[in-house]
Amino acid sequence: MADLRDMLADARALIECESPSSDLAAVARSADVVTEVGTGVLGVAPERIVLDGRTHLRWRLGADPSRVLLVGHHDTVWPIGTLAGRPFAIDAGILRGPGCFDMKVGLVMALHAAAGLDGVTLLVTGDEEIGSPSSRELIEQEAKTAAAALVLEASADGHLKCERKGVSLYEVRVHGRAAHAGLEPERGVNSTVELAHQVLAVSALADPAAGTTVTPTVARAGVTTNTVPAEATFAVDVRAGSVAEQERVDRAMRSLWAVDEGARLETTGGVNRPPLEASASDALYETLCRIAVARGLAVPGRAAVGGASDGNFTAGVGTPTLDGLGAVGGGAHADDEHVVVAEISPRTTLLRALVEHLLASHR
């Protein structure tokens, strides 16, 4: 692998090309930079895959189908112009810059860990931060042929992400009947009042003991202040640690009934990402711990997190998955986003050793 100076130079190149998910041209420019950096490290150019205008990259190194899948993304949450106020910088061993932690340093780690290996696919997507709408099928297809998926999302305080909650997203629409709010409100069916009943009913579906959260979020109702509102909507964010819990909430969401007999409900949406359950990560995590001990490297802890990643998709198709293998630092999606420079090389060495072990085990 290259030395730390080369990895930091590659990280700078990626970070200084801003790539907000919603800006397709910016994501395409970022793909150009990732291609240039990755080709220099791996010695071969990637396949460029554009789906719904979003640019993804795929390196297939050697054997086909590959035995190990490395997964990352080059889009970020930061709008164009963020770099001007928070430029790339390294001070007192801390690297900063928009997207450094989530997850451009992780991409650099993946590239250098894969260099010279045979039997690895590196998939770099351009829409993870908005839910991977165009890349989900691509990720799942690659995962189905791999013996293991290793996800270079940032760590959780240095811990690997061995469990991730699944995500379900819904919209509940209330159909009422308009009427003049001052002259004859009794002739209307108030969608705002019905929405209030439904928000309470949906909130009650949460199960804290099981770790299931059901959170009503954005709500809208009515058009004018003197009209009984005929239409109302609210969005619902569901996070669950098991498929069984996702299915329970889904059944309940689709069985909602109107309190006001004159109102009608319409529920759309459903499961967005399946959970990454502990069973998908256990064997890989144990293997990595043994490798770390054997090589005298620090053994990372394990964590369960509520946020989702593309690792949810790889685990969802039955592929053993280990997530959070990327940078050590903090501040994802926040102004204090940062990476601990001293952790980059040892974590990349550990990743490389894990990949080599998996390749040898699945010849």
Side-chain angles (χ1 to χ4, degrees), residues 137-149:
E137 184 176 353
L138 180 64
I139 295 163
E140 291 177 335
Q141 287 175 346
E142 291 295 334
K144 287 176 182 178
T145 64

Side-chain angles (χ1 to χ4, degrees), residues 87-255:
F88 175 91
I90 299 175
D91 182 44
I94 300 298
L95 183 155
R96 300 185 186 276
C100 64
F101 185 60
D102 187 14
M103 59 162 286
K104 292 189 174 181
V105 168
L107 285 186
V108 171
M109 293 168 64
L111 289 165
H112 286 273
L117 297 180
D118 184 332
V120 174
T121 290
L122 172 55
L123 182 62
V124 182
T125 64
D127 61 355
E128 192 274 345
E129 294 291 3
I130 55 171
S132 308
S134 72
S135 62
R136 175 175 182 169
E137 184 176 353
L138 180 64
I139 295 163
E140 291 177 335
Q141 287 175 346
E142 291 295 334
K144 287 176 182 178
T145 64
L150 305 179
V151 184
L152 271 295
E153 288 284 354
S155 66
D157 294 324
H159 297 346
L160 301 187
K161 297 172 179 176
C162 295
E163 297 177 64
R164 284 187 181 272
K165 290 183 179 180
V167 179
S168 301
L169 303 172
Y170 299 92
E171 182 182 78
V172 179
R173 181 172 294 275
V174 181
H175 300 275
R177 184 170 60 248
H180 194 291
L183 296 178
E184 46 188 9
E186 71 281 355
R187 296 190 61 182
V189 175
N190 195 316
S191 64
T192 298
V193 173
E194 184 62 39
L195 179 147
H197 287 301
Q198 297 305 321
V199 164
L200 293 175
V202 165
S203 296
L205 297 175
D207 185 347
T212 302
T213 59
V214 183
T215 309
T217 57
V218 178
R220 300 183 180 87
V223 290
T224 65
T225 58
N226 62 350
T227 303
V228 173
E231 299 284 337
T233 64
F234 69 98
V236 183
D237 179 293
V238 180
R239 307 288 170 127
S242 69
V243 171
E245 272 294 281
Q246 276 192 315
E247 292 176 345
R248 176 188 68 81
V249 174
D250 187 74
R251 288 192 298 270
M253 289 294 302
R254 299 185 190 286
S255 301

